[in-house]
């Protein structure tokens, strides 16, 4: 049984949490394969808004198993808070949530290193969420990291102490003014470790292999978006993991020939949190309206998202490198009321017109070339069938499908799981 993937195709915040929630009834296992608690997967149903950071979005479905894969980095403190927030819903978390022994741990000193590094960059800062994710992945690739499986060893505290001491020496190297109380941070950390140890640790690659042999349906859930991929994103303004389809293979131990459908999610427009180039960013009333109507604030950080028209050049690139087989368009309702809709279909790159995503998209090298289309004026939020959608929106969808050469299977018309139109 093949493993299906669900990926964000822009700079994150596309609405993956909602779609995983919508699709979970079709799957036996939901597996998160990369990233850390910088992810903010928002789900809304029964009048309640939920934000998950590390726990897979299938946790609200009683028949789904949820796996945190080896490619994920886990902050025990944030994880414990997530678990505490779920208690009131009386979910069977302990039997439905499994953690890979090979997933790496975010230590309190990783967060301090993150902050020191960002302060040291000054105006060149990346816009880190300061969750310690980058330093944790650095320890992973530097072969210094602590993993979930280490917590089953008798000497795990000694290993922790050695790594924390090393981090404190590195913080001093940055020579910045950063105040912290490590014993206080560690008290919270060790308390959270005990909560983590109450859950089941697994060799996730073996678990998933056996599940496939038994015919279980598996959905791999990504975090962030393709344009934040450490290799293929807008480097250095990226995250520290592979957010693209290949990341599911390394982040779960799934063989490439076992990947089935690749479901790509994008907004009807484009947003970005933090620093970095953004060719279609708007600084006018249209951009303000998108942000206000779309409630564009980071689910994890609360930072305002930068807004702009849909960048089809970037989206084609994401579809290409991920091998996307079907698309889901989110927040079509946010564009209701715009008389004209613009889509970036090419770039003016150093005087030449190009339609591929280049190495450098900084504004001094590049300007978007737009195609203009008629907008739609109707409220979409109560619509339940594709036939109800305005003709101009259907024309927009048809145009995107033709350009992307990939079918748009879902159109989201609101944040609730019921506000989802299947095509």
């Amino acid at each position: 049984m093949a493993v299906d993937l669900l990926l964000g195709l822009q700079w994150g915040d596309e609405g993956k949490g909602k779609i995983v929630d919508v699709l979970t009834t079709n799957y036996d296992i939901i597996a998160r394969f990369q990233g850390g608690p910088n992810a903010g997967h928002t789900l809304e149903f029964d009048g309640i808004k939920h934000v998950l950071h590390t726990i897979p979005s299938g946790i609200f479905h009683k028949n789904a198993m949820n796996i945190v894969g080896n490619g994920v980095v886990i902050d025990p403190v944030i994880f414990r808070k997530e678990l505490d927030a779920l208690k009131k819903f009386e979910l069977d978390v302990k039997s439905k949530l499994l953690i890979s022994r090979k997933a790496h741990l975010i230590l309190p000193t990783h967060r301090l290193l993150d902050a020191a590094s960002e302060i040291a960059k000054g105006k060149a800062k990346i816009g880190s969420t300061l969750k310690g994710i980058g330093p944790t992945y650095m320890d992973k690739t530097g072969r210094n990291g602590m993993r979930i499986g280490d917590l089953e060893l008798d000497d795990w505290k000694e290993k922790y102490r050695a790594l924390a001491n090393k981090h404190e020496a590195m913080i001093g190297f940055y020579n910045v003014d950063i105040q912290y109380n490590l014993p206080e941070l560690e008290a919270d950390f060790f308390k959270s470790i005990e909560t983590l140890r109450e859950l089941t640790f697994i060799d996730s690659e073996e678990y998933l292999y056996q599940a496939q042999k038994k015919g279980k349906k598996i959905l791999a859930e990504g975090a962030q978006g393709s344009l934040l991929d450490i290799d293929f994103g807008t480097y250095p303004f990226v995250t520290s993991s592979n957010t693209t389809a290949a990341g599911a293979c390394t982040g779960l131990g799934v063989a490439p020939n076992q990947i089935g459908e690749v479901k790509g999610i994008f907004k009807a427009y484009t947003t970005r949190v933090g620093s970095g180039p953004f060719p279609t960013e708007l600084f006018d009333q249209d951009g303000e309206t998108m942000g206000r109507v779309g409630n564009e604030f980071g689910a994890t950080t609360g930072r305002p998202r930068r807004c702009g028209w849909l960048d089809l050049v970037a989206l084609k690139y994401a579809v290409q490198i991920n091998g996307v087989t079907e698309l889901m368009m989110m927040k079509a309702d946010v564009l209701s009321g715009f008389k004209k809709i613009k889509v970036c279909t090419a770039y003016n790159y150093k005087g030449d017109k190009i339609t591929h995503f280049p190495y450098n998209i900084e504004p001094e090298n590049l300007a978007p070339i737009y195609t203009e289309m008629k907008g739609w004026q109707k409220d979409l939020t109560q619509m339940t069938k594709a036939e109800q959608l305005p003709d101009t929106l259907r024309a927009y969808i048809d145009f995107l499908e033709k350009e992307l050469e990939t079918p748009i299977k879902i159109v989201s018309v609101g944040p609730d799981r019921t506000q989802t139109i299947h095509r």
Side-chain angles (χ1 to χ4, degrees):
M1 181 65 69
V3 176
D4 292 343
L5 309 186
L6 188 83
L7 307 165
L9 300 181
Q10 294 163 311
W11 279 291
D13 308 306
E14 299 93 351
K16 295 177 291 296
K18 171 185 170 172
I19 294 300
V20 173
D21 179 55
V22 167
L23 296 178
T24 298
T25 52
N26 301 324
Y27 292 93
D28 302 301
I29 298 170
I30 308 297
R32 170 88 181 274
F33 65 83
Q34 48 72 223
N38 53 345
H41 291 182
T42 304
L43 302 81
E44 194 167 318
F45 52 89
D46 300 333
I48 302 172
K49 181 179 178 180
H50 310 270
V51 179
L52 298 172
H53 300 286
T54 310
I55 296 171
S57 302
I59 196 66
F60 293 100
H61 293 258
K62 64 179 181 179
N63 295 322
M65 293 298 297
N66 294 267
I67 296 175
V68 179
N70 61 274
V72 178
V73 292
I74 300 171
D75 184 326
V77 176
I78 294 176
F79 204 86
R80 175 172 58 85
K81 290 176 181 176
E82 272 191 80
L83 291 171
D84 287 345
L86 293 175
K87 284 180 180 178
K88 60 185 175 184
F89 301 106
E90 298 181 354
L91 303 172
D92 188 11
V93 172
K94 285 191 178 180
S95 68
K96 295 296 181 183
L97 180 60
L98 309 172
I99 303 176
S100 171
R101 289 187 173 93
K102 292 186 173 73
H104 278 247
L105 286 164
I106 300 173
L107 278 53
T109 44
H110 280 130
R111 298 207 306 272
L112 298 173
L113 271 172
D114 205 351
S117 173
E118 194 77 340
I119 293 168
K121 289 185 177 78
K123 291 183 179 180
K125 66 181 182 179
I126 289 171
S128 168
T129 57
L130 305 180
K131 302 290 184 184
I133 291 161
T136 305
Y137 277 113
M138 287 172 68
D139 271 343
K140 176 178 179 175
T141 56
R143 295 162 294 185
N144 296 308
M146 276 195 70
R147 301 190 291 179
I148 286 290
D150 291 333
L151 299 178
E152 297 176 320
L153 305 177
D154 292 337
D155 65 345
W156 74 267
K157 284 192 177 181
E158 286 84 351
K159 186 168 186 176
Y160 166 84
R161 186 79 274 142
L163 188 53
N165 289 345
K166 177 183 176 181
H167 290 163
E168 283 208 273
M170 292 171 68
I171 291 166
F173 166 79
Y174 282 108
N175 194 29
V176 295
D177 183 20
I178 178 171
Q179 304 296 320
Y180 62 91
N181 182 333
L182 188 55
E184 186 177 299
L185 294 173
E186 286 182 335
D188 203 10
F189 177 79
F190 290 131
K191 176 183 176 183
S192 300
I193 286 289
E194 293 311 309
T195 299
L196 202 56
R197 285 162 61 120
E198 293 174 6
L199 299 175
T200 301
F201 302 159
I202 61 168
D203 298 321
S204 54
E205 63 278 12
E206 174 65 15
Y207 182 95
L208 290 169
Y209 176 72
Q210 295 299 334
Q212 285 179 272
K213 287 180 69 174
K214 294 173 185 175
K216 298 290 185 181
K217 293 183 177 181
I218 303 166
L219 180 65
E221 174 189 23
Q224 290 85 41
S226 297
L227 298 180
L228 292 173
D229 184 273
I230 186 66
D231 285 293
F232 296 104
T234 49
Y235 189 91
F237 302 99
V238 292
T239 194
S240 301
S241 59
N242 286 113
T243 60
T244 45
C249 297
T250 56
L252 291 173
V254 174
N257 65 352
Q258 296 302 305
I259 301 300
E261 298 291 337
V262 180
K263 304 170 189 287
I265 302 182
F266 69 100
K267 285 177 182 170
Y269 50 101
T270 310
T271 63
R272 178 164 201 171
V273 171
S275 306
F278 181 177
T280 64
E281 184 173 9
L282 294 171
F283 301 95
D284 58 9
Q285 186 61 43
D286 287 340
E288 188 279 330
T289 299
M290 286 178 194
R292 176 173 44 80
V293 177
N295 192 30
E296 295 293 359
F297 297 93
T300 297
T301 62
R303 290 182 293 181
R305 297 179 186 135
R306 300 150 64 191
C307 297
W309 297 115
L310 183 64
D311 187 335
L312 207 51
V313 179
L315 190 54
K316 279 184 181 178
Y317 170 72
V319 168
Q320 171 190 322
I321 61 176
N322 286 302
V324 173
T325 58
E326 58 185 69
L327 290 160
M328 288 87 176
M329 185 171 79
M330 311 301 288
K331 292 198 167 184
D333 53 300
V334 175
L335 294 186
S336 293
F338 285 90
K339 291 183 179 179
K340 298 289 183 182
I341 303 290
K342 290 183 180 180
V343 183
C344 171
T345 50
Y347 295 150
N348 182 330
Y349 183 71
K350 298 181 179 179
D352 294 325
K353 181 180 178 181
I354 64 170
T355 56
H356 72 276
F357 198 72
Y359 175 78
N360 187 304
I361 63 165
E362 295 290 348
E364 61 266 25
N365 298 318
L366 176 152
I369 298 172
Y370 289 109
T371 295
E372 194 171 273
M373 306 179 71
K374 289 183 179 179
W376 49 94
Q377 310 303 310
K378 294 183 180 178
D379 178 8
L380 310 180
T381 57
Q382 302 303 313
M383 295 181 182
T384 57
K385 297 179 181 177
E387 304 80 55
Q388 296 173 302
L389 298 175
D391 290 343
T392 45
L393 172 52
R394 283 193 271 176
Y396 185 67
I397 294 168
D398 290 344
F399 175 78
L400 298 182
E401 283 186 322
K402 183 178 178 180
E403 291 290 316
L404 296 166
E405 299 178 328
T406 310
I408 296 174
K409 295 282 193 177
I410 284 178
V411 177
S412 176
V413 294
D416 195 273
R417 63 163 61 141
T418 60
Q419 294 173 302
T420 308
I421 294 175
H422 296 264
R423 301 175 73 244

